[in-house]
Amino acid sequence: MLTTREMKVAVIGGGIGGLAAALSLLRAGMDVEIFEQGAAFTEAGAGIQIGPNASRILHRIVPAPVLTARAVRPAAVHQRRWDDGRTLQLAPLGEAVEAAFGAPYYHFHRGDLLQALAAAFPAERVHLRHRLAAIRDLGDRVEAEFENGAVIAADALVGADGIHSTARRLLFGPEKPHFTGCIAYRGLVPAARLAPLGLEVISNNWMGPGQHFVHYFVAGGDLVNFVAVIERDSWTRESWTDRGEKADVLEAYAGWHPQVRTIIDAVDETFIWALFDRAPLSRWSVGRATLLGDACHAMLPFMAQGAGQAIEDGATLAACLQRLGPGAVPEALRLYEQLRLPRATRLQELSRLNKLRFHLPDGPAQQRRDAELAVRGDRSIEAIAWLYAHDAAAIDAG
Ligand SMILES: Cc1cc2nc3c(=O)[nH]c(=O)nc-3n(C[C@H](O)[C@H](O)[C@H](O)COP(=O)(O)OP(=O)(O)OC[C@H]3O[C@@H](n4cnc5c(N)ncnc54)[C@H](O)[C@@H]3O)c2cc1C
């Protein structure tokens, strides 16, 4: 009889989801290794928001000084109208959220978060330049073959290889990600340049017809990250690293509040992201292999939860494997999927709905949205408790 310590888990992909899962699995006593196609762990030069539902897990798997060295704690989230800047909703984050949910709300530079995760994971368990090519379920174990010719065996395989997941294709067949009709320009501005604006350390979301604009501090407050989301009919490339023209962003935001335009104008370079998501899957697992993060539930970023859900996935997966043990890996993967799939699907759907809500043209529907936000905002402590109070490792809690 194997003990949990001898259970071998192969994680394919070393993004935020794969690294966080590997750390949760390691903490649960498993023999875990990461296989990443790149020559190093890399993330885009951009920000990421991490809610308490994910930060409570990060605090278990990364030492606090490493995790928080460059993290920013926003005091509030401010939803505003695109032209006159009128407040639609101002909801607390900061100490109020930490007191309510027992974990903080963070803003990170993606590179800082990825490096913090990588620093907490033993380097000898990382295999770079390993691009997954084939999965073979042999009943008593699962094998993975890589493009470099290497073949490994494990008790369980986790495909955490992102929106263009090879693991997903191998398990469930080919299917193209869906272009959501939105593109995002992203930029990082040195905070010192924006000092005259007197920006508060909060999360800002400006809503307007057909587009919205998000900005917040990252990198210990040294940089202001912005994401400018615009609706577009078509998109041909799927790269995260295409450069954009600042003039195009300024033109798209003509007539918007001066604060928005000043932030755009202060950036040195912008990059374009085409935003893709996927229809929810009905299953994530086949035998001894399963999926995690964007590989199985890629979503629009309009709930700021894609990485958060990936981090939750890893915690639930580790708890299920630990609970059922090495003699019942396929059952553990099915339990993981049953626990995670409804919640991730709900967030995929809410993210799509927010595309409509954020982008309403001025008129009766927009006025109804604004009235609702004023009375019963979607980001108040009470309204967001279902999302932030969740502990993904507590699989007995139901
Ligand atoms: C504009 C924008 C803003 C966002 N903002 C937020 C936010 O504020 N908060 C939030 O929680 N989420 C946010 N997200 C979503 C978040 O970025 C993703 O959900 C998250 O990064 C997914 O992580 P992942 O590890 O699943 O996938 P990825 O980060 O894509 O990692 C996949 C890894 O697998 C590797 N890989 C791929 N194929 C193979 C292979 N065949 N073999 C081996 N390795 C392979 C890749 O090299 C990569 O390292 C945002 C997304 C966008 C586009």
Side-chain angles (χ1 to χ4, degrees), residues 258-317:
Q259 181 168 314
V260 170
R261 291 182 53 80
T262 303
I263 294 171
I264 299 168
D265 201 28
V267 80
D268 288 326
E269 57 178 1
T270 65
F271 294 86
I272 304 184
W273 252 323
L275 299 183
F276 289 81
D277 69 0
R278 286 187 181 271
L281 281 172
S282 57
R283 292 194 58 178
W284 295 354
S285 311
V286 179
R288 290 178 174 271
T290 194
L291 301 172
L292 174 153
D294 277 9
C296 52
H297 52 63
M299 60 185 76
L300 272 169
F302 306 160
M303 288 292 291
Q305 278 289 328
Q309 291 308 298
I311 293 165
E312 284 191 12
D313 288 342
T316 302
L317 177 66

Side-chain angles (χ1 to χ4, degrees), residues 333-345:
L333 300 187
R334 288 290 282 167
L335 177 61
Y336 153 71
E337 161 190 312
Q338 279 161 18
L339 291 169
R340 291 296 309 151
L341 206 146
R343 184 168 159 91
T345 302

Side-chain angles (χ1 to χ4, degrees), residues 40-337:
F41 293 129
T42 48
E43 260 294 351
I48 192 155
Q49 313 200 52
I50 293 292
N53 55 308
S55 77
R56 74 164 47 81
I57 296 161
L58 293 178
H59 271 287
R60 291 176 192 149
I61 57 180
V62 180
V66 178
L67 184 65
T68 59
R70 304 273 291 158
V72 174
R73 289 186 189 209
V77 49
H78 196 183
Q79 312 221 63
R80 301 177 72 173
R81 195 177 141 73
W82 65 283
D83 52 358
D84 58 11
R86 183 156 47 83
T87 295
L88 303 177
Q89 186 188 22
L90 182 62
L93 293 174
E95 283 173 17
V97 149
E98 195 166 346
F101 304 117
Y105 195 100
Y106 286 129
H107 287 157
F108 290 100
H109 186 288
R110 282 169 178 266
D112 292 340
L113 177 55
L114 196 78
Q115 284 319 310
L117 290 165
F121 191 75
E124 66 276 13
R125 292 179 175 275
V126 175
H127 306 272
L128 300 171
R129 299 185 186 86
H130 278 65
R131 177 176 293 165
L132 180 73
I135 299 173
R136 282 185 289 275
D137 196 326
L138 303 176
D140 64 341
R141 64 191 188 284
V142 55
E143 276 187 1
E145 187 174 333
F146 299 89
E147 283 185 4
N148 61 11
V151 177
I152 59 105
D155 296 295
L157 179 142
V158 184
D161 50 348
I163 188 165
H164 302 292
S165 170
T166 300
R168 175 182 170 129
R169 176 172 56 74
L170 294 170
L171 296 177
F172 297 105
E175 187 222 327
K176 282 222 160 239
H178 154 255
F179 176 57
T180 59
C182 292
I183 57 153
Y185 288 93
R186 61 188 165 91
L188 291 169
V189 183
R193 251 182 232 173
L194 298 174
L197 288 178
L199 295 176
E200 292 174 87
V201 183
I202 61 175
S203 176
N204 301 272
N205 182 21
W206 302 73
M207 301 183 198
Q211 57 199 76
H212 73 282
F213 188 86
V214 173
H215 65 92
Y216 50 84
F217 287 95
V218 296
D222 292 344
L223 298 169
V224 171
N225 172 73
F226 75 74
V227 186
V229 177
I230 302 169
E231 290 186 19
R232 272 268 178 92
D233 289 341
S234 64
W235 186 258
T236 46
R237 295 191 45 146
E238 295 181 14
S239 168
W240 287 42
T241 51
D242 282 357
R243 274 168 209 276
E245 290 297 329
K246 180 162 86 179
D248 293 343
V249 198
L250 280 171
E251 194 185 322
Y253 285 81
W256 279 57
H257 191 272
Q259 181 168 314
V260 170
R261 291 182 53 80
T262 303
I263 294 171
I264 299 168
D265 201 28
V267 80
D268 288 326
E269 57 178 1
T270 65
F271 294 86
I272 304 184
W273 252 323
L275 299 183
F276 289 81
D277 69 0
R278 286 187 181 271
L281 281 172
S282 57
R283 292 194 58 178
W284 295 354
S285 311
V286 179
R288 290 178 174 271
T290 194
L291 301 172
L292 174 153
D294 277 9
C296 52
H297 52 63
M299 60 185 76
L300 272 169
F302 306 160
M303 288 292 291
Q305 278 289 328
Q309 291 308 298
I311 293 165
E312 284 191 12
D313 288 342
T316 302
L317 177 66
C320 291
L321 284 169
Q322 190 178 37
R323 158 87 72 79
L324 295 189
V329 169
E331 291 80 0
L333 300 187
R334 288 290 282 167
L335 177 61
Y336 153 71
E337 161 190 312

